[in-house]
């Protein structure tokens, strides 16, 4: 008892000393006619918090930038944006519950989500309560909600160009493919698209493996890869965050490296992940994104510089998900100003066709509530950045219903005509 | 032959991860009967202390010895995890002996607490809290007797905690200023880089084995031997076994069972820390790294027969070999000419997810026939 009380006292003193230094923050003091509060709903605790916290920071930064530039301007009146941050705690039903509360509280828009599971949990809430969600992550497609704006890539803006590149123009061109992913909806859907695409463009796939989300033991999968690809090949990787580390460390130990003719194309490895895994394990492998920190334009450099300044972390990196999160705040602002009101029905109409000069270049909202954007293929270099090998010539339009999936072939989505063409209609 | 070597090596290397992770639990759960759901988080503490040791070895003054940091980190991880384990035993589990359900819930709470602690605070903060607690616990033993006698006990007790707090604050500042990677509170998922000599494959007789796996096997073998020597040949080991067999009789004979409990728990936790070193070599280190191993750990201990180290060894290698046979598609190689429906069935079952299902079902079936595991405890002590 004596010991425990002393330890508690020690702990309490120490943590007091720490918390005293970690409070603070400030706000600008421009004059505004009015205020509006938006919702931010990401996981601040739990498994996903590591990734989702970077989105919260980026969204706060975009809001701070907009406020510093005079806020939102509606019919001559300026509005200051306030935000209310909620914690989804990596718990998908909780996301739905909190989203419901935030819509009831009257927030005109909610920026949030990362996993497909959290988005799917929130979708019915936003549809029944007529709220509006902005969702920033590249995902598997196959949905098109009137109440969600998707600013990440659809498969035809990431995995399809990537597969084409690996088969035809990469250092492993012409070699067989092996597909590896975590066992949930995104990798399985993405891989079924890749397989159909390989069949159509004349590639060969020799195996497909999924790792249970509760496991880190990639050994058996590596044994299979070695057997299926004895002379090198392409590995398409859709593993989840932490499982990537185990995978890349162990394939290097087993000699599955670019020097031996094995090239991995990853859809979930961005700059932040390279930093975590370590560039020495990833050098020479590929990834496909819409935004990469290495993009050499003033807009991209300013974005990275501002983020480092905003988070007060000189080593911070920006990646595609953050850029998407940044863009969606600006797209919402543009749509509101175009509509002249915060009313959802009006903003939704104004949203389609809204453009923004994003850090990656110009983007535009399409009638299916996704955005048209360019695709880039990068190769990881020793500094932990991408060397951009290819940028798509054209801005690629999003296909939410993928043409390589049998049930979706020939369908599209167009919310400018919700009665006849909403959600899913036959072309 | 090559296939046999492959299966054996992969089986042993998968199995040794299970074994090193479960060894501490075999002592805590097997010998003491404590269902410790925070075992996974003790592995996590070990893994994080490996990471911090590695970062310290990247500092200029230790840089020349970087290749050997893994050996140092085994001891560091053991000490850190053992300290956390001893605190856990002293503060919580001690009060719950004889109430398995409460122990289970209590340790589960601790496990959640430790996970969120790592998520919410920066690593430098966490490390310095642990350092200050370690120095606080050990300081009073370091004070020379002459000082203890000269001053009032009250002052000793006061300084006993004031000094560690200062040590904690100093080490927090030192770590935060020198190692920027652990200052930031947002990146919890960290990665241990193995030294150069441990990377890549090791080739012998035309077969190649990953060096990391060989190192893990070595760590496991040494730990098992050390545990066996400790339990069978040292005084404290014999006391531990005596208390396991008959608590009240040992107490009558003058063995301090409280001290034995603390030491046993400390060693079990320390071994979890060593497992943390092994785990950090294989994958990433994150707040929930322990969750990946806790279920296999209990599975191995139960299958081996609670309280039997040899059973734990055989159970983990058995599970390892079965994992390799099922998940790596060995059955397909063994029977390449099987009729197509058999081949397709085999194909369906030879994925990582299905292998887990198969192994679990086999264990359930096995426990139907031998509910006490491979090596049940015999005699009157089994109650």
């Amino acid at each position: 008892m004596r010991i425990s009380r002393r330890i508690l006292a020690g702990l309490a003193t120490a943590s007091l000393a720490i918390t005293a230094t970690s409070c603070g923050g400030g706000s600008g003091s421009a004059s505004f006619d009015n205020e509006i509060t938006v919702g931010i709903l990401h996981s601040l605790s739990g498994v996903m918090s590591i990734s989702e916290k970077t989105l919260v920071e980026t969204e706060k930064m975009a809001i701070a930038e907009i406020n510093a530039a005079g806020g939102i301007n509606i019919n001559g009146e300026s509005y200051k944006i306030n935000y209310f941050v909620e914690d989804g705690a990596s718990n998908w039903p909780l996301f739905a519950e909190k989203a419901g509360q935030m819509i009831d509280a009257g927030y005109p828009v909610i920026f949030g989500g990362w996993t497909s599971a959290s988005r799917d949990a929130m979708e019915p809430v936003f549809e029944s309560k007529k709220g509006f969600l902005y969702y920033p992550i590249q995902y598997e497609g196959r949905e098109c909600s009137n109440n969600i704006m998707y600013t990440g890539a659809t498969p035809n803006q990431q995995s399809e160009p990537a597969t084409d590149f690996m088969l035809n123009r990469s250092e492993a061109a012409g070699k067989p493919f092996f597909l590896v992913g975590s066992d949930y909806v995104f990798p399985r859907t993405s891989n079924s698209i890749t397989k159909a695409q390989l069949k159509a463009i004349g590639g060969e796939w020799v195996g497909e493996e999924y790792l249970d989300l509760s496991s880190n033991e990639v050994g058996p999968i590596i044994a299979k890869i070695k057997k299926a690809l004895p002379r090198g090949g392409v590995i398409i990787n859709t593993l989840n965050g932490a499982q990537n580390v185990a995978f890349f460390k162990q394939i290097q130990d087993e000699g599955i490296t670019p020097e031996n003719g094995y090239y991995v194309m990853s859809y979930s490895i961005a700059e932040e992940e390279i930093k975590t895994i370590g560039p020495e394990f990833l050098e020479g492998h590929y990834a496909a994104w819409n935004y990469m920190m290495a993009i050499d334009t003033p807009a991209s450099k300013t974005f990275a510089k501002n983020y480092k300044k905003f988070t007060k972390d000189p080593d911070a990196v920006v990646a595609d998900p953050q850029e998407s999160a940044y863009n969606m705040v600006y797209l919402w602002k543009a749509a509101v100003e175009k509509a002249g009101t915060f009313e959802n029905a009006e903003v939704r109409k104004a949203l389609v066709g809204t453009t923004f000069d994003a850090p990656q270049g110009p983007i535009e909202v399409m009638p299916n509530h996704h955005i048209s954007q360019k695709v880039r293929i990068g190769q990881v270099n020793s500094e932990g950045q991408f060397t951009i090998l290819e940028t798509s010539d054209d801005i690629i339009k999003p296909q939410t219903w993928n043409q390589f999936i049998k049930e979706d072939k020939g369908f599209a989505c167009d919310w400018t005509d919700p009665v006849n063409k909403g959600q899913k209609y036959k072309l | 032959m090559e296939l046999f070597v492959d299966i054996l090596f992969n089986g042993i290397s998968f199995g040794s991860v299970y074994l090193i992770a479960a060894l501490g639990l075999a002592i805590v759960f097997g010998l003491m009967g404590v269902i410790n759901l925070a075992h996974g988080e003790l592995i996590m503490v070990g893994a994080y202390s490996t990471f911090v040791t590695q970062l310290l070895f990247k500092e200029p003054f230790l840089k020349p010895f970087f290749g050997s940091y893994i050996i140092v980190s085994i001891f560091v991880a053991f000490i850190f995890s053992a300290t956390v384990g001893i605190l856990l035993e002293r503060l919580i589990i001690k009060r719950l002996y004889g109430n398995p359900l409460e122990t289970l819930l209590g340790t589960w709470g601790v496990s959640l607490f430790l996970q969120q602690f790592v998520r919410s605070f920066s690593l430098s903060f966490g490390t310095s809290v642990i350092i200050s607690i370690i120095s606080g616990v050990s300081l009073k033993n370091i004070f020379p007797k002459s000082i203890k006698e000269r001053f009032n006990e009250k002052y000793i007790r006061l300084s006993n905690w004031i000094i560690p707090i200062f040590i904690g604050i100093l080490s927090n500042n030192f770590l935060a200023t020198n190692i920027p990677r652990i200052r930031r509170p947002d990146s919890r998922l960290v990665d241990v880089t193995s030294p150069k000599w441990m990377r890549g494959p090791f080739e012998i007789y035309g077969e190649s084995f990953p060096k990391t796996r060989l190192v893990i096997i070595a760590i496991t073998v040494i730990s098992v031997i050390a545990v066996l020597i400790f339990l069978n040949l040292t005084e404290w080991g014999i006391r531990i076994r005596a208390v396991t067999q008959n608590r009240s009789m040992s107490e009558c004979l003058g063995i301090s069972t409280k001290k034995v409990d603390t030491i046993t728990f400390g060693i079990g936790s320390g071994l979890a820390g060593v497992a943390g070193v092994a785990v950090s070599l294989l994958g990433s280190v994150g707040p929930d790294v322990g969750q990946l191993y806790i279920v296999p750990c209990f599975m191995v201990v139960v299958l081996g027969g609670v309280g039997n180290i040899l059973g734990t060894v055989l159970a983990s290698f058995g599970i390892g070999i079965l994992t390799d046979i099922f998940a790596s598609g060995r059955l397909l190689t063994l029977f390449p000419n099987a009729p197509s429906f058999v081949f397709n069935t085999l194909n369906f079952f030879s994925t990582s997810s299905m292998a887990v299902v198969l192994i679990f079902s086999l264990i359930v079936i096995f426990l139907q026939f031998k509910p006490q595991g491979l090596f049940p405890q015999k005699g009157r002590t089994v109650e």
Side-chain angles (χ1 to χ4, degrees), chain A residues 1-4 6-7 10-11 13-15 17-18 44-47 49-50 53-54 183 209-217 219-221 223-224 226-227 241-242 245-246 249-250 252-255 272 275-278 280-281 313-316, chain B residues 10 14 17 87 90-91 95 116 119 125 129 133 140 157 160-161 165 169 172 180-181 184-193 198-201 208 210 212-213 280-284 287-288 292-293 323-324 327-330 333 350-353:
Chain A
M1 202 61 221
R2 215 179 57 209
I3 286 179
S4 70
R6 280 191 282 160
I7 287 172
L11 272 177
T13 329
S15 48
I18 301 291
L44 305 178
S45 57
V47 190
S49 58
I50 296 159
K53 273 180 184 169
T54 62
D183 204 354
E209 268 294 312
Y210 296 95
L211 185 61
D212 196 82
L213 281 172
S214 66
S215 165
N216 229 358
E217 187 51 273
I221 292 182
K224 277 195 168 169
K226 275 170 92 177
K227 209 164 61 188
V245 184
K249 268 186 175 178
Q250 294 186 34
Q252 197 181 59
D253 283 339
E254 299 262 10
E272 183 75 34
K275 206 166 86 175
T276 319
I277 301 173
E280 68 269 30
F281 293 105
D313 179 2
D315 301 329
Chain B
N10 282 345
F14 301 154
V17 179
L87 282 172
R90 282 284 182 87
L91 296 177
R95 292 149 219 275
Q116 196 58 40
R119 283 196 193 106
F125 176 82
V129 165
I133 291 173
K140 67 169 184 257
R157 216 188 282 168
N160 202 6
W161 279 108
I165 287 173
I169 292 174
N172 184 20
R181 278 194 71 185
R184 282 182 307 137
D186 56 276
S187 181
R188 276 298 151 274
L189 200 66
V190 295
D191 183 32
V192 172
T193 332
M198 272 177 58
R199 285 201 222 140
S208 71
T212 321
R213 295 279 186 175
S280 70
L281 294 176
L282 283 180
S284 67
D288 32 47
L292 295 173
Y293 294 94
T323 307
D324 186 57
S328 312
R330 305 285 181 204
T333 337
S350 32
T351 62
S352 305
S353 314

Side-chain angles (χ1 to χ4, degrees), chain B residues 30-90:
Chain B
L31 298 185
M32 300 173 73
V34 172
I35 302 174
N36 181 15
L37 285 183
H39 187 75
E41 277 56 51
L42 294 169
I43 296 180
M44 172 193 82
V45 169
Y48 273 113
S49 54
T50 313
F51 175 69
V52 173
T53 319
Q54 177 215 331
L55 288 184
L56 279 175
F57 269 82
K58 279 185 181 163
E59 293 293 299
F61 53 99
L62 284 172
K63 190 98 190 182
F65 310 105
F66 185 75
S68 61
Y69 87 85
I70 209 82
I71 298 161
V72 178
S73 65
I74 290 176
F75 294 100
V76 175
F78 186 91
I79 292 170
F80 268 46
S81 293
T83 312
V84 175
I86 287 172
L87 282 172
L88 175 66
E89 202 267 346
R90 282 284 182 87

Side-chain angles (χ1 to χ4, degrees), chain B residues 24-25 28-29 33-42 85 88 93 103-104 106-108 110-111 265 268-269 272 294 297-298:
Chain B
L25 195 74
V28 168
F29 178 44
V34 172
I35 302 174
N36 181 15
L37 285 183
H39 187 75
E41 277 56 51
L42 294 169
L88 175 66
I93 295 173
T103 321
L104 190 132
T107 50
W108 187 45
V110 171
S111 134
F265 203 88
S269 314
I294 187 75
C297 279
F298 273 100

Side-chain angles (χ1 to χ4, degrees), chain B residues 25-34 298 300-309 311-312 371-377:
Chain B
L25 195 74
I27 290 174
V28 168
F29 178 44
L31 298 185
M32 300 173 73
V34 172
F298 273 100
V300 165
V301 174
V302 170
L303 181 64
V306 175
N308 192 308
I309 304 281
T312 311
Q372 304 278 328
L374 285 171
F375 293 97
Q377 279 184 321

Side-chain angles (χ1 to χ4, degrees), chain B residues 20 199 248 307 352 356:
Chain B
I20 187 74
R199 285 201 222 140
S248 42
S352 305
V356 178

